[in-house]
Amino acid sequence: MPEKILDFEKEDMQKVLAWQWRQVRAALKRASRIKFYKDLFQKEKINIEKIKDFKGLELIPVTTEEDLRADSYSFLGYPMKKIWRIFATSGTTGTPKIIFREPISPERPEILSVWINIFRRFRFWPEKAAIMRPAGGLAASGPVTAKIMELLEIPCITLSPESEAEKTAEVLLAVKPDLLVVSPSFAALIVYELKKKKINPRKLGVRAVISTGEALRANERFYLEKELGARVINTYGAADPSVWIASECEKKGMHILPYTSYVETVDSSGRKSDEGELLVTPFANRAMPLLRYRLGDRAKLDGRKCACGRKLPRITALERREKPTALKVERKIVRLPLRKILTQLADEEPKISSFFNFHTDKVSGRARLIFEADFYRLKKSARKKIEDSFKKKFLSVLESREKGMGKAMRLEVKLVPIGELPRRAAKLVSQLTET
Ligand SMILES: [Zn+2]
């Protein structure tokens, strides 16, 4: 167990920010030595010696995912032999981003402090953990989490969710971990597999589920807590900058975890604001300096004191980045934040698992909206009722956006069993697309 553990849980924000500033200042220095920022500072005539506080940091232009994708090696801050792991993300454009990670060791307390404080927030210390380690996709979170468990002396099993959910469920039943670190859509699938075999999911003996990798929806929490008899702990992080941004407290406040990054929200003109686009400046991965990295998500930072006594700001109204989907209905095109609309729809109905896909057929113009649901709790008549109600609601949203469209769209809403929709790297594959 590491000796130096950071604990800012009940600290005054002044003190936390003073500590964070020292980390950010060191990150600025490291950044000034790598190619990407050398070029940027020269171009923008930025002298980092003149940046004395977080206000000054705002002078630095935002770094984007595209910057990282264009030349990942220009962000490399360590000689190659000091790199612990290399991860890669293949994005929608096909060009992977490369992430270089420094070793995780007890001498660097930031990341270990994140995990210890997550457990402390729940007065819970796992006896043995199971980590769903995606082999495809980004693949960054699994090895990092496994290493953390090793250093915290928590034995863990890592499982690849690309293997069948059925086999995964069997292994978990044999191992009986009390902690699952998993994406909620994969956890739901495991529970469903067990129930299909008439095995009570509580037999797994899971006490806590750390939800990671995708947004945790109200329905998933409800489903997993009820079926597993476990506490579901929501966390929010980002793999590219290697940061753990927030996790819940016992009062369900998503408090920032100040240990691995400085988080700010900016308005559309790039100025600091309580609500807006999230930018992170990580400081716990010295192998790859990033400054004011744009995650693409939006949120509000609520600095008011929480019922739990923490003064660490809470992230509220978190909206994951979403490119509007263009729907074509009778030669008219309407662009909708489809994911947001469907999430709201799903959250209204606790009986369904809230994972959805949306297809429109280009040729016939017919649209299909598919939701996964736990059929063990749904009679056919109840299913039909939900399908009809979702259809009505969706068409009325469409109609309110564009007159005549609600009536013109040929839509079928269908509930299917959990696991029917494709998953990749333990996450549900988004298919809000035309086919
Ligand atoms: Zn709280």
Side-chain angles (χ1 to χ4, degrees):
M1 180 69 72
E3 283 164 26
K4 290 184 291 181
I5 285 303
L6 302 162
D7 184 354
F8 295 134
E9 293 298 298
K10 303 276 166 99
E11 201 70 83
D12 270 339
M13 271 317 282
Q14 297 299 71
K15 272 194 177 171
V16 179
L17 286 169
W19 178 82
Q20 283 195 317
W21 174 248
R22 291 199 296 278
Q23 312 309 310
V24 168
R25 196 179 50 199
L28 268 172
K29 289 226 167 81
R30 286 192 294 273
S32 70
R33 294 194 287 265
I34 65 167
K35 185 174 183 304
F36 180 83
Y37 289 107
K38 252 189 214 163
D39 295 351
L40 181 75
F41 294 167
Q42 199 172 33
K43 194 176 131 216
E44 301 285 331
K45 299 188 172 52
I46 291 169
N47 177 2
I48 59 154
E49 296 304 324
K50 288 192 178 156
I51 298 177
K52 302 282 182 205
D53 51 22
F54 286 120
K55 184 95 195 92
L57 188 71
E58 289 172 37
L59 290 171
I60 297 175
V62 163
T63 302
T64 66
E65 202 180 357
E66 289 70 37
D67 294 327
L68 195 55
R69 202 187 299 285
D71 185 4
S72 300
Y73 274 86
S74 69
F75 288 89
L76 181 59
Y78 269 9
M80 199 49 72
K81 65 176 179 193
K82 279 181 76 184
I83 300 294
W84 172 57
R85 286 285 175 100
I86 301 170
F87 303 110
T89 66
S90 57
T92 41
T93 62
T95 315
K97 289 170 280 175
I98 303 171
I99 316 297
F100 304 99
R101 248 229 72 95
E102 71 171 34
I104 294 169
S105 81
E107 281 78 53
R108 306 278 202 199
E110 301 93 351
I111 292 173
L112 295 173
S113 303
V114 164
W115 283 80
I116 289 176
N117 283 302
I118 291 175
F119 295 145
R120 280 183 185 163
R121 284 179 183 186
F122 285 86
R123 295 194 182 86
F124 168 73
W125 193 263
E127 190 179 287
K128 53 191 163 182
I131 297 159
M132 305 303 149
R133 179 188 53 79
L138 172 64
S141 55
V144 172
T145 315
K147 184 71 196 175
I148 291 160
M149 294 300 151
E150 182 192 317
L151 292 171
L152 297 181
E153 294 167 3
I154 300 164
C156 77
I157 177 167
T158 60
L159 295 156
S160 165
E162 278 76 13
S163 63
E164 292 161 54
E166 195 189 338
K167 294 262 186 291
T168 309
E170 280 167 13
V171 169
L172 291 178
L173 204 54
V175 175
K176 292 197 168 32
D178 57 348
L179 171 70
L180 296 183
V181 183
V182 64
S183 66
S185 85
F186 196 71
L189 187 56
I190 292 165
V191 166
Y192 193 74
E193 284 297 334
L194 290 168
K195 290 178 71 182
K196 219 159 71 180
K197 289 183 169 174
K198 307 241 180 309
I199 297 168
N200 183 351
R202 291 186 183 224
K203 280 202 172 141
L204 290 178
V206 173
R207 289 173 60 213
V209 176
I210 292 190
S211 166
T212 171
E214 59 190 3
L216 173 69
R217 299 192 186 123
N219 288 4
E220 256 56 50
R221 184 198 290 278
F222 175 83
Y223 182 67
L224 295 172
E225 287 189 341
K226 183 174 174 290
E227 300 296 347
L228 290 166
R231 188 178 239 161
V232 175
I233 303 165
N234 196 11
T235 64
Y236 172 52
D240 294 358
S242 201
V243 291
W244 287 260
I245 298 169
S247 87
E248 280 178 320
C249 69
E250 60 275 27
K251 303 282 180 198
K252 293 203 165 82
M254 268 306 250
H255 290 277
I256 63 155
L257 290 157
Y259 311 101
T260 59
S261 67
Y262 168 69
V263 181
E264 52 186 320
T265 40
V266 293
D267 63 18
S268 52
S269 60
R271 271 187 292 269
K272 197 172 164 61
S273 157
D274 288 341
E275 191 169 0
E277 208 179 353
L278 272 170
L279 304 178
V280 291
T281 299
F283 44 72
N285 179 20
R286 294 149 195 87
M288 193 168 189
L290 289 168
L291 304 172
R292 309 190 82 215
Y293 186 69
R294 175 192 276 160
L295 296 172
D297 299 341
R298 296 177 56 81
K300 196 172 168 176
L301 286 177
D302 185 347
R304 288 171 302 172
K305 196 173 162 181
C306 177
C308 72
R310 282 179 189 79
K311 292 164 199 154
L312 295 171
R314 277 166 290 168
I315 290 190
T316 59
L318 180 63
E319 253 179 58
R320 308 261 176 162
R321 119 179 86 179
E322 175 170 14
K323 212 172 93 195
T325 308
L327 287 186
K328 196 174 161 194
V329 184
E330 293 202 326
R331 288 186 202 146
K332 270 195 203 166
I333 298 242
V334 58
R335 284 174 210 285
L336 292 177
L338 211 48
R339 188 182 306 280
K340 192 175 162 186
I341 295 169
L342 298 183
T343 302
Q344 280 167 354
L345 210 58
D347 282 349
E348 280 180 25
E349 182 50 75
K351 284 191 202 72
I352 72 155
S353 103
S354 88
F355 289 111
F356 43 72
N357 276 13
F358 191 95
H359 294 280
T360 53
D361 190 298
K362 265 187 189 155
V363 184
S364 70
R366 197 184 296 273
R368 240 167 106 90
L369 176 52
I370 306 161
F371 283 88
E372 284 189 354
D374 181 349
F375 282 0
Y376 292 90
R377 295 194 296 129
L378 271 181
K379 286 203 181 90
K380 205 175 172 187
S381 58
R383 218 148 80 200
K384 179 85 175 63
K385 219 172 134 189
I386 295 170
E387 287 168 350
D388 290 346
S389 140
F390 278 7
K391 182 172 169 177
K392 220 169 118 188
K393 281 179 187 158
F394 184 81
L395 293 178
S396 86
V397 170
L398 197 61
E399 183 66 29
S400 70
R401 298 247 174 175
E402 183 91 43
K403 220 173 154 28
M405 274 229 174
K407 289 190 187 78
M409 183 178 222
R410 283 181 294 152
L411 177 74
E412 184 196 1
V413 177
K414 210 169 156 42
L415 300 191
V416 298
I418 291 174
E420 291 269 299
L421 298 176
R423 284 165 171 77
R424 195 183 304 133
K427 288 188 208 179
L428 202 75
V429 180
S430 169
Q431 290 196 356
L432 304 175
T433 49
E434 288 186 292
T435 48

